[in-house]
């Protein structure tokens, strides 16, 4: 049985009844939603309106349709222009029945679309928001890609392409974890019980985390996992 087939076998659904709305395009957000769906969440995606010649405006659906289809299986996919009144109405109709919103816009774009956390929290106090950015803090406005963050964290090896998009996929796992954290915090007894929670996930942080074994020296040529342990055994 392949790994892909194994992932779709019957398993507990801890997120059954949880409603997720995603606006995230490309890879990290959809990959995270794929996992949330497998945990039983009811997932809906609101995409930009696609050009007449295409079925989706998500770049992944254009250059790798098979990956897009795998990540969006079982999702309800809608389209709307969030810069229009009609699109905003469609968005807010969905938000009114959503537990967790996923975004992958820069902070300035969220403000322009009326999706800044303070504004959303006032209008939808029980809504949790997970915002995916490239890097934390002021760098959240910078354009960046998976290779950018892998290079920053020392995961790239010369001019060779990496075996996977580690920052994007690691970011998807960080996003899934952030959703679980937000839902748990919303349930925690106390003054803020039932209130929505905001989390920001940075792809650069995910890449840095995946690179920790190298930062610790474990995978360097002089490290135990990098071959030095075998060399020491041969000397002994």
């Amino acid at each position: 049985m392949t790994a892909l087939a194994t992932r779709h076998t019957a398993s507990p659904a801890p997120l059954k009844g949880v409603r997720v709305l995603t606006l995230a395009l490309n890879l990290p957000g959809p990959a995270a939603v794929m996992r949330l769906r497998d945990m039983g969440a009811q997932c809906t995606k609101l995409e930009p309106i696609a050009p007449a010649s295409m079925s989706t405006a998500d770049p992944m659906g254009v250059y790798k349709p098979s990956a897009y289809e795998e990540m969006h299986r079982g999702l309800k996919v809608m389209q709307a222009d969030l810069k229009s009144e009609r699109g905003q109405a469609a968005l807010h109709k969905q938000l009114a029945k959503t537990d967790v919103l996923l975004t992958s816009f820069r902070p300035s774009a969220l403000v322009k679309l009326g999706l800044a956390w303070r504004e959303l929290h006032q209008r939808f106090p029980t809504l949790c928001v997970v915002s995916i950015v490239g890097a934390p803090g002021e760098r959240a406005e910078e354009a960046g890609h998976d290779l950018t963050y892998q290079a920053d964290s020392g995961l790239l090896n010369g001019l060779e392409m990496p075996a996977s998009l580690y920052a994007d996929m690691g970011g998807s796992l960080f996003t899934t974890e952030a959703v679980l954290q937000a839902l748990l915090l919303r349930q925690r007894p106390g003054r803020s019980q039932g209130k929505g929670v905001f989390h920001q996930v940075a792809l650069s942080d995910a890449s840095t985390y995946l690179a920790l074994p190298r930062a610790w020296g474990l995978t360097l040529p002089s490290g135990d996992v990098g071959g030095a342990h075998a060399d020491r055994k041969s000397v002994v």
Side-chain angles (χ1 to χ4, degrees):
M1 182 178 292
T2 65
L4 182 62
T6 301
R7 191 175 62 77
H8 289 293
T9 56
S11 61
L15 294 185
K16 184 177 181 181
V18 172
R19 297 158 297 183
V20 175
L21 175 66
T22 178
L23 308 178
L25 306 176
N26 285 307
L27 183 55
V33 172
M34 177 175 66
R35 294 182 62 80
L36 296 172
R37 173 202 67 197
D38 287 347
M39 285 188 260
Q42 179 183 329
C43 302
T44 300
K45 184 179 182 186
L46 191 58
E47 294 184 349
I49 296 176
S53 60
M54 293 187 261
S55 61
T56 176
D58 189 326
M60 182 65 71
V62 176
Y63 56 75
K64 201 62 178 177
S66 59
Y68 176 90
E69 291 174 7
E70 170 67 13
M71 289 188 289
H72 292 76
R73 185 175 294 120
L75 269 65
K76 179 181 180 181
V77 179
M78 306 169 63
Q79 296 185 355
D81 177 7
L82 298 185
K83 296 179 182 179
S84 69
E85 290 185 7
R86 185 175 181 180
Q88 283 287 314
L91 170 63
H92 285 268
K93 181 179 180 180
Q94 291 298 317
L95 288 175
K97 52 186 178 181
T98 293
D99 294 298
V100 182
L101 170 68
L102 298 187
T103 71
S104 59
F105 298 113
R106 298 175 191 176
S108 59
L110 291 175
V111 172
K112 292 177 181 178
L113 293 173
L115 293 171
W117 166 242
R118 182 174 297 180
E119 185 175 344
L120 280 177
H121 191 50
Q122 289 179 344
R123 186 160 185 173
F124 307 102
T126 65
L127 177 69
C128 294
V129 176
V130 175
S131 173
I132 304 170
V133 295
E138 295 181 359
R139 291 189 62 200
E141 291 293 335
E142 296 178 5
H145 303 280
D146 178 275
L147 293 181
T148 306
Y149 309 121
Q150 288 201 53
D152 285 347
S153 57
L155 286 176
L156 295 186
N157 183 18
L159 297 178
E160 296 181 4
M161 287 293 292
S164 184
L165 298 174
Y166 293 109
D168 284 350
M169 296 307 290
S172 76
L173 294 177
F174 270 39
T175 300
T176 304
E177 181 181 274
V179 169
L180 298 177
Q181 289 182 30
L183 292 171
L184 285 171
L185 287 171
R186 192 176 69 168
Q187 294 176 2
R188 179 174 292 177
R191 187 174 180 179
S192 299
Q193 184 175 12
K195 298 292 185 180
V197 177
F198 175 82
H199 277 278
Q200 186 182 83
V201 172
L203 302 182
S204 62
D205 288 344
S207 185
T208 298
Y209 178 77
L210 293 178
L212 280 177
R214 188 166 186 82
W216 292 332
L218 292 172
T219 58
L220 295 174
S222 58
D224 287 345
V225 185
H229 182 67
D231 289 341
R232 283 198 292 268
K233 286 181 66 178
S234 63
V235 171
V236 175

